[in-house]
Amino acid sequence: MAIMMVLGVLLSATVSAADKPIAVYVNGEKLVFSSGKPIMVENNVMIPFRPIFEKFGLEVSFDREYAEGYVFVVGSNQVMDIDLVIGEKLASVNGKTHRLPVAPKVMNGTTYVPLRFIGEATGSVVNWDSKSNTVKIDIKGVLADNLEIAELFDRFYHYQSTDNIKGLKSLFKGSLYEADFISFYEEDAKNYDVKYSSLSDYDISEITNDYALVTQHERYQYVSGSPFFPHSELLTSYELLKVDGHWIIADMWTEDWEFFMDNEALLAAPKIPAETEKSIHELVVKYNDYWSAEDAEGIKLLRITDDAWLESFEHTVREEFPKYDIKYKYNQLKTIRYDQDEATVYAVNERNYEWEGKPTTDYCAYIIVVNRMKDGQWKIKDHYTLREVKLVPDKPNGPFITIEQ
């Protein structure tokens, strides 16, 4: 949600010490102004708008195209939209129009807004001390919740990336699934080094006094660990609850998941015995042939299976095999990682099938992870379909295809 205010926020006050500079405190912290300073205009405290907007967690922008002859100053975040119009006494807050006693204005190149309106429009508490020429603002309501939620996610990604289990426990404390989540992160910390980050600002689709539903576009970047998996970008939903006055992660689930690889990783050329690589590639080709033939038993024979994979595969056999007849042919097989008991193969498949009654050919890229069994044989551990990307020939008229990102 976003806050749009048409530049104008009023702080009515009687100045008893006009010669003193006006100080502004937000949650006990003094606001610093790099250009301009707070001034009194018609008994209203006016301040440079950018520092106060950013302190409230509002992203600032100007819009000179919105209406001819007008300049809009916009402050927005997940829970508020504010539009302010320079020189006009009307402001919009979350789509609702408000009248301002003093219009926003530009002085010496700095845009000023009336402070009390800005503070109170955001649900904050604003107090004026005429003896000390001081304004004190306590951020309250959904704006305070939004700032705390932003801090929660900053800590969440940092704790994941640094394997800080104690920190993660603090974010899930009170969740019905706390033990399950912590068990997952403990196991993850033992096996992997992964960097977690957000790709964009989160979106709050629902928020009350003690509940929020948040979606976040995220990136998991593999660094090391076994078994190997590609980098991934996810759209994740989070249910947040306010417990003992603080937001915690109550539940989370993935809405969408895409895998990708860096070109540098795809160009890797690990040392691998020729006979070993031949055995691995023959396994992958046979696995591919079983998929073309829709041979479920053959596919399972070449896989390392568990209950979760078997359940998913049985659904594919039941629902997908009857609908589609796809023939697969590898255009490229390339080993990109290898150690004694695990190898990773990058593969590009040519897929031939009918679509809307017409013969169709396209290409799909995969990452296939294979493990050496105790008897020395190799089996498929995992295979990942890489996200849709542009595929181009490796060389003019060449048979190989590489990913161009």
Side-chain angles (χ1 to χ4, degrees):
M1 230 179 157
I3 281 190
M4 299 194 302
M5 283 171 105
V6 183
L7 278 178
V9 179
L10 170 64
L11 177 59
S12 300
T14 302
V15 182
S16 60
D19 55 331
K20 292 182 179 180
I22 298 173
V24 179
Y25 290 83
V26 179
N27 288 352
E29 183 178 341
K30 188 174 183 179
L31 204 59
V32 176
F33 301 92
S34 58
S35 62
K37 60 182 181 180
I39 59 174
M40 191 69 71
V41 177
E42 300 177 13
N43 284 337
N44 295 278
V45 173
M46 304 280 286
I47 67 168
F49 82 97
R50 187 176 293 275
I52 190 67
F53 272 31
E54 291 179 347
K55 190 67 177 177
F56 284 168
L58 301 172
E59 184 176 343
V60 176
S61 62
F62 284 92
D63 186 356
R64 291 179 172 81
E65 304 296 331
Y66 190 79
E68 186 177 353
Y70 294 94
V71 177
F72 283 71
V73 175
V74 179
S76 63
N77 65 14
Q78 292 82 356
V79 293
M80 287 190 172
D81 283 321
I82 300 179
D83 259 352
L84 302 171
V85 183
I86 294 175
E88 297 291 322
K89 289 187 176 182
L90 292 179
S92 173
V93 180
N94 286 352
K96 185 177 180 180
T97 301
H98 297 259
R99 179 168 292 278
L100 309 174
V102 179
K105 59 183 63 181
V106 178
M107 292 180 282
N108 298 321
T110 298
T111 300
Y112 285 77
V113 297
L115 180 56
R116 181 176 293 279
F117 174 80
I118 296 293
E120 293 181 349
T122 60
S124 302
V125 176
V126 182
N127 290 300
W128 165 254
D129 184 345
S130 59
K131 292 183 179 180
S132 61
N133 265 15
T134 299
V135 181
K136 294 182 179 180
I137 300 175
D138 291 321
I139 300 177
K140 302 291 185 181
V142 293
L143 198 59
D145 287 331
N146 187 64
L147 291 172
E148 186 178 343
I149 289 171
E151 183 183 354
L152 180 146
F153 279 106
D154 285 344
R155 286 185 287 141
F156 181 50
Y157 296 124
H158 175 69
Y159 292 157
Q160 288 182 96
S161 296
T162 57
D163 296 332
N164 186 336
I165 302 301
K166 182 178 180 181
L168 287 168
K169 286 181 178 180
S170 71
L171 303 185
F172 288 95
K173 188 175 182 180
S175 166
L176 292 175
Y177 309 107
E178 177 183 354
D180 294 332
F181 286 127
I182 297 306
S183 176
F184 167 81
Y185 287 117
E186 287 175 337
E187 189 67 21
D188 187 69
K190 292 177 184 177
N191 295 326
Y192 293 106
D193 180 7
V194 179
K195 301 306 177 188
Y196 300 82
S197 62
S198 63
L199 293 175
S200 62
D201 290 338
Y202 55 85
D203 177 66
I204 298 178
S205 57
E206 183 180 349
I207 186 167
T208 64
N209 289 336
D210 56 10
Y211 173 85
L213 181 60
V214 177
T215 55
Q216 179 72 279
H217 193 196
E218 305 170 324
R219 172 172 287 179
Y220 293 0
Q221 196 150 1
Y222 172 93
V223 178
S224 63
S226 180
F228 173 82
F229 65 89
H231 306 318
S232 55
E233 292 182 1
L234 307 85
L235 183 64
T236 306
S237 290
Y238 294 86
E239 281 191 328
L240 308 181
L241 294 178
K242 189 177 285 186
V243 177
D244 296 330
H246 297 286
W247 290 99
I248 61 117
I249 300 172
D251 199 3
M252 54 189 284
W253 59 91
T254 301
E255 303 281 0
D256 191 24
W257 197 319
E258 292 184 327
F259 297 102
F260 69 99
M261 292 287 293
D262 298 329
N263 280 341
E264 182 179 356
L266 297 178
L267 295 173
K271 292 182 179 180
I272 177 173
E275 286 301 315
T276 299
E277 185 168 48
K278 180 182 177 182
S279 296
I280 291 171
H281 287 192
E282 287 176 348
L283 167 70
V284 172
V285 169
K286 185 180 290 187
Y287 185 67
N288 197 56
D289 291 343
Y290 283 152
W291 276 98
S292 290
E294 297 182 350
D295 184 340
E297 294 306 314
I299 292 170
K300 288 191 287 186
L301 183 67
L302 302 184
R303 283 281 311 212
I304 299 173
T305 63
D306 57 26
D307 290 343
W309 183 86
L310 285 171
E311 181 179 352
S312 175
F313 180 65
E314 291 303 328
H315 178 270
T316 298
V317 172
R318 185 174 60 253
E319 301 294 331
E320 304 298 327
F321 279 6
K323 293 180 182 178
Y324 306 105
D325 182 16
I326 303 175
K327 302 304 179 186
Y328 300 93
K329 176 185 176 182
Y330 279 127
N331 284 65
Q332 176 170 334
L333 286 177
K334 184 176 187 297
T335 306
I336 60 173
R337 294 180 75 257
Y338 172 75
D339 63 32
Q340 187 174 356
D341 295 318
E342 181 178 292
T344 302
V345 176
Y346 166 59
V348 176
N349 243 333
E350 176 184 305
R351 304 188 300 183
N352 295 282
Y353 54 95
E354 281 199 4
W355 181 255
E356 297 181 346
K358 297 180 180 179
T360 302
T361 298
D362 62 16
Y363 299 92
C364 192
Y366 300 91
I367 293 295
I368 302 168
V369 181
V370 300
N371 286 164
R372 192 195 302 267
M373 302 289 95
K374 291 181 179 180
D375 62 4
Q377 299 299 308
W378 292 89
K379 281 196 172 186
I380 307 287
K381 168 62 178 174
D382 285 304
H383 80 272
Y384 304 90
T385 303
L386 298 184
R387 66 185 178 190
E388 292 185 11
V389 291
K390 184 179 179 182
L391 298 171
V392 297
D394 187 49
K395 52 188 176 183
N397 302 316
F400 299 113
I401 291 177
T402 56
I403 286 186
E404 180 182 86
Q405 298 208 40

